Amino acid sequence: MRRFPLILAGLLFSVAFLGTALAQTEATPIHVQSAAPLTSRFEIVQSTIAAKLTFRLDKRAGLVWQIVHTSTDDLAWQLVPIISLPQISTASETTHYQLFLSGIANRFVFLLNLDTGKTWQLQSHVDEKTKEESLAFVPLD
């Protein structure tokens, strides 16, 4: 009968040790999206593949800016053109847009209108007026 307290103490020690070991091996999550409240207007989203795919999204109007290096090597937000983006009133606190960045490939960056399902993909695009090539969100058919 004297062995039961020793066995119980050993079992409790083993459980406590195992719990501590498991807690120390848990990975810290990768932050690729700001933890903004649901009612917030803006959000920052970053790809896990490439830091250059860091965007600021206006969740109400659907506008998207990409982080870029300036000529003086500072960081700045540059508006990304969105082909055929409808005008939406931003007076209400309703979220209309979501930005999706794939963790598999850089070419899978999508802007989604949550109300209609209309989707745009980030692609290389040539402006018809200026003939300049840049990134733009192009509607998916």
Side-chain angles (χ1 to χ4, degrees), residues 24-84:
Q24 291 176 351
T25 60
E26 288 181 18
T28 303
I30 298 172
H31 296 284
V32 294
Q33 185 172 359
S34 59
L38 294 176
T39 57
S40 67
R41 181 169 178 171
F42 294 95
E43 182 172 46
I44 294 177
V45 183
Q46 182 182 42
S47 168
T48 57
I49 299 172
K52 71 178 183 174
L53 293 179
T54 301
F55 300 96
R56 179 177 64 183
L57 169 66
D58 181 333
K59 299 188 299 183
R60 295 182 197 163
L63 300 175
V64 179
W65 295 263
Q66 183 177 16
I67 198 81
V68 294
H69 285 276
T70 65
S71 58
T72 59
D73 206 30
D74 293 324
L75 292 176
W77 291 113
Q78 181 178 31
L79 188 63
V80 179
I82 303 171
I83 310 302
S84 302

Side-chain angles (χ1 to χ4, degrees), residues 10-11 18 21 28 46 58 94 115 119:
L11 181 61
L18 180 61
T28 303
Q46 182 182 42
D58 181 333
T94 304
D115 301 320
T119 308

Side-chain angles (χ1 to χ4, degrees), residues 98-134:
Q98 179 178 5
L99 196 58
F100 173 83
L101 283 73
S102 169
I104 298 172
N106 289 343
R107 65 187 176 137
F108 298 119
V109 177
F110 301 102
L111 177 65
L112 172 69
N113 181 306
L114 299 171
D115 301 320
T116 66
K118 184 167 180 151
T119 308
W120 294 262
Q121 183 179 17
L122 186 66
Q123 299 178 4
S124 180
H125 175 74
V126 177
D127 186 291
E128 293 177 5
K129 295 178 185 175
T130 65
K131 303 299 182 202
E132 290 184 20
E133 185 175 351
S134 66

